[in-house]
């Protein structure tokens, strides 16, 4: 339906904007993990960070994206 198409494009735009606003390392971690599907070991090697640091970066990045989605939902 037109509403669902608008909703999905609006949702994608919101996610894209949230990702662009993330600090570079957070953006890289969430992109490698959630978009490209890499495992944490590979991500740590690529970014040269410890696993605990990568997990913190991922948690913070997902939180920022989640906050952006919550804000979108409240504004609808």
């Amino acid at each position: 339906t037109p509403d669902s198409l608008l909703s999905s494009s609006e949702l994608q735009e919101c996610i894209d904007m949230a990702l662009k606003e993330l600090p570079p390392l957070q953006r890289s971690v969430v992109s490698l993990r959630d978009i490209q599907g890499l495992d944490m070991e590979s991500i740590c090697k690529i970014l040269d960070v410890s696993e605990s640091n990568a997990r913190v970066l991922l948690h913070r990045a997902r939180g920022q994206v989640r906050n952006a989605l919550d804000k979108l939902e409240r504004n609808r």
Side-chain angles (χ1 to χ4, degrees), residues 38-52:
L38 295 180
D39 59 51
M40 290 306 283
E41 184 178 345
S42 299
I43 293 169
C44 293
K45 288 179 183 176
I46 291 169
L47 298 178
D48 193 29
V49 296
S50 68
E51 187 169 341
S52 61

Side-chain angles (χ1 to χ4, degrees), residues 10-23 25-31 34-35 56-74:
E10 190 177 31
L11 177 65
Q12 187 60 52
E13 185 178 321
C14 179
I15 292 170
D16 291 343
M17 288 301 297
L19 290 174
K20 287 178 185 175
E21 293 176 2
L22 292 174
L25 269 179
Q26 287 182 14
R27 185 179 326 116
S28 295
V29 171
V30 79
S31 175
D34 294 339
I35 298 170
V56 168
L57 291 167
L58 181 61
H59 177 75
R60 289 179 180 167
R62 285 177 174 168
Q64 290 294 94
V65 172
R66 197 174 307 113
N67 288 341
L69 294 173
D70 289 344
K71 184 177 179 180
L72 174 67
E73 186 63 31
R74 284 191 308 270

